[in-house]
Amino acid sequence: MEVHLLARQFPLTPALRSYAQRRLRHAFSFARDKVGDVVVRLGDINGPRGGQDMQCHILVAVPGRPTLVVRDVQDNLYTAIDRAVKRAAYKVRQALMQRRSLERWGRRGLAKGRRDTRRDDPDAEA
């Protein structure tokens, strides 16, 4: 798992960088070898105007699955990181469980309609 941190509208401090990396590594410890790149974009939406405007946007690449996207906006950037990381870890866990289920059982449970099991025998009665 490789983590990429990007900050918009403010400088990314070493303390903020280490906090985000530590939270991500801890949250994804169950799937380090199953997760590809993790991109975290941190931003200040309203700039100096204030308000609930600190954003954490996380993209997680899980091989064989679509990219998972989580976004959270809060007053405090650390809170936004915590909430977004928690939801991203939950989504990754769900995606891995679904993949494991598909590997184990195949696509039997996902078929919307059942196939007609009767033979196509012209002499058979309907």
Side-chain angles (χ1 to χ4, degrees), residues 17-126:
R17 176 183 293 279
S18 67
Y19 180 79
Q21 287 179 341
R22 188 173 62 247
R23 291 290 296 152
L24 285 164
R25 296 208 187 280
H26 178 70
F28 291 116
S29 62
F30 68 93
R32 280 190 184 151
D33 57 338
K34 296 176 182 89
V35 172
D37 289 344
V38 177
V39 177
V40 180
R41 294 184 193 142
L42 305 173
D44 187 0
I45 298 170
N46 293 336
R49 290 182 293 184
Q52 186 176 5
D53 64 345
M54 301 305 279
Q55 172 181 287
C56 179
H57 190 251
I58 300 176
L59 294 113
V60 182
V62 179
R65 306 289 301 167
T67 301
L68 301 172
V69 180
V70 175
R71 178 178 175 260
D72 202 302
V73 178
Q74 295 292 321
D75 294 341
N76 185 342
L77 188 56
Y78 290 94
T79 306
I81 291 170
D82 287 343
R83 289 173 49 115
V85 167
K86 185 177 179 180
R87 288 195 353 252
Y90 177 79
K91 279 187 158 187
V92 167
R93 189 179 304 272
Q94 293 298 105
L96 293 176
M97 285 174 42
Q98 185 179 23
R99 187 173 74 182
R100 190 177 313 135
S101 177
L102 286 175
E103 289 171 356
R104 185 174 185 183
W105 299 102
R107 297 203 176 265
R108 280 186 274 176
L110 297 180
K112 291 191 180 206
R114 294 181 179 233
R115 291 181 55 194
D116 191 7
T117 56
R118 294 181 292 166
R119 292 180 157 197
D120 291 331
D121 188 8
D123 297 329
E125 295 181 22

